[in-house]
Amino acid sequence: MDAQSRGRADDIDPADQWVLNPHTGNYELRLDQSAGESPVAARTATAEDSGLRGDTRTGAPRDGREGSGRRGTTSPEVPGQRSRRSSQSGGRGAEATATAGRRKRKAPKARRKKALMWTGGVTAFLVATTAVGAYILYEKLNGNIDAIDIGDQGSKNVISDGPMNILIIGTDKRTGKGNEGYGDKGSAGHADTTILFHVSEDRTNATAMSIPRDLMTEIPECETKGSDGTSTTIPGTPNERFNTSLGQSGRNPGCTMKTVENITGVKPDHFMMVDFNAVKELTTAVGGVEVCMAKPVDDPKSHLKLPQGTSEVQGEMALALLRTRHSFGNESDLDRIKVQQQFLASMIREMKSSDTLTNPKKLYTLADAATNALTVDTAIGDAKKLMTLAQEIGKVDTKNITFLTMPVIDNPAEPKPITVVVDPVKGEQLFAMLRSDTSLTEVKQKQKAAKGKQAALLKGPKAAPADVRVDVLNGGEIPGAAGATVTWLQNQQGVLKSTNKANAPEEIKKTTLEYAPNQADQARALAEMMGLPASAMKPGTADAEGLEAMVLTLGADFKGAGIPITGPAKMPEDVEKSSADKAVCAK
């Protein structure tokens, strides 16, 4: 132990680490207790050797008596310093006299308590500093985000208790340096790449359905809001390309959301829109995205050059890959969509990889790039809300994210088809699966539970159609749905005791069938006819009396008389799909 030691190093009282600097008259913190001390500490040690700080041979404490040495009652107060006054005496042998009047060393417990107070202050400072840093970071990311008011479209909540539907829009608007060669010059941008991303209610799976930009469809009337709060109604137009639902005639992403709902019956909750620059920035932020080519690619139009096998692309090269349509398949937009899906699947894998999630610098770069790149609806228009949404979506395992393209056929109205229309059979089957939240992946427990509920629902005796009594109300969005359903039930199903009760008191999202325990056989029969899901069945507790009828209230999930509300258990085998966890080589 050297002359300054007063016990073990780990017993040093933090208060005793403050020393007086004779040049400034201020107390300063001495951090080094051994060799290599600061000049201030060295001068203090010399003072101690002169007897001003007690018996250096035994490591006894400094004399704390008033008027002793240089430290009298006029000494400035030392932060955290313990009292030097002591009336205690004692010692061993000859040292007893020398140490008379000096205080005894405090018990380790008291010393530890003071040390905790000291370190607690430091911790509080660090926490405060971190909080300030987090606030600055939040403000930085928040300032990056652009948001658009889409009026009554979408949801006002960040996340919902049920399934969630996010519309991802890639626009071909030419903004930013180096993008002059892409898109239509002077265009406000189209819905060039659009994906409806459906996340299941239990967050076990998701479906990413690409919508072809050359799909011929009706663009419904929509309302936009200006920055001054004024509203403008944009008339709908029949038989138009889907990509004109954005940017053209003043349409905003809310119009694209309404168009998607009009086609599929699935209402998007939010939208996220990116442009050419976003592709460059995001792929660079993750350090590149791995892609696989089944053959070498050399496209002079997009300037894409890639060897056969795997490569990493980012920035300009990533954009070229997503834009090219002359290097794959039959050079159609549908083949380009497949490449885009493979690219996005690879990017999702990279974003969810441990290399990204455990790298703070990479995460910050990615967050900065993402918030810079995204334009979203006002309901998710700040960094905290976006993070909440991202965490919710992130619960889905990549192996349970299915990519596929909306089923389409060549447009029969064109002698030489250039555009496409929705496949009337396969398209409706897929839309029904999305509406009923049916997984397209093998999430075994979910599928087993769903099948079990449906089987239990239909198990048991069913009443004859002529014995089914039901009042039908319209709580959905299709005018005249209750009357059309009654007509279908009576003429097609033989349910003659069905009655049109017009509109329900309020609109509802899900169709419901309310019935009494003694009407269970009638409920099973009607559920089978209409393809009602188990969740639609609302049994009561008291039996019905006399000729009392069941109550069927059609919700937003009802798409027309004779169309089952539940989708098929699985998609037809010839609908091509892929999983986000598997790398596929572009052909």
Side-chain angles (χ1 to χ4, degrees), residues 2 16 58 102 117 129 170 199-200 212 245 250 252 259 290 301 322 326 328 406 466 472 507 510 516 522 533 536 549:
D2 62 23
D16 286 338
T58 62
R102 297 175 185 156
M117 292 171 63
T129 305
V199 183
S200 68
S245 64
N252 67 12
T259 303
E290 187 178 275
K301 291 188 177 181
L322 296 182
H326 300 289
F328 308 106
M406 176 186 289
V472 183
E507 289 188 357
K510 302 288 186 180
Q522 297 180 50

Side-chain angles (χ1 to χ4, degrees), residues 123-145:
T123 302
F125 171 75
L126 290 175
V127 169
T129 305
T130 303
V132 171
Y135 175 76
I136 293 172
L137 176 61
Y138 169 77
E139 288 295 302
K140 166 75 169 63
L141 297 179
N142 213 38
N144 290 344
I145 302 169

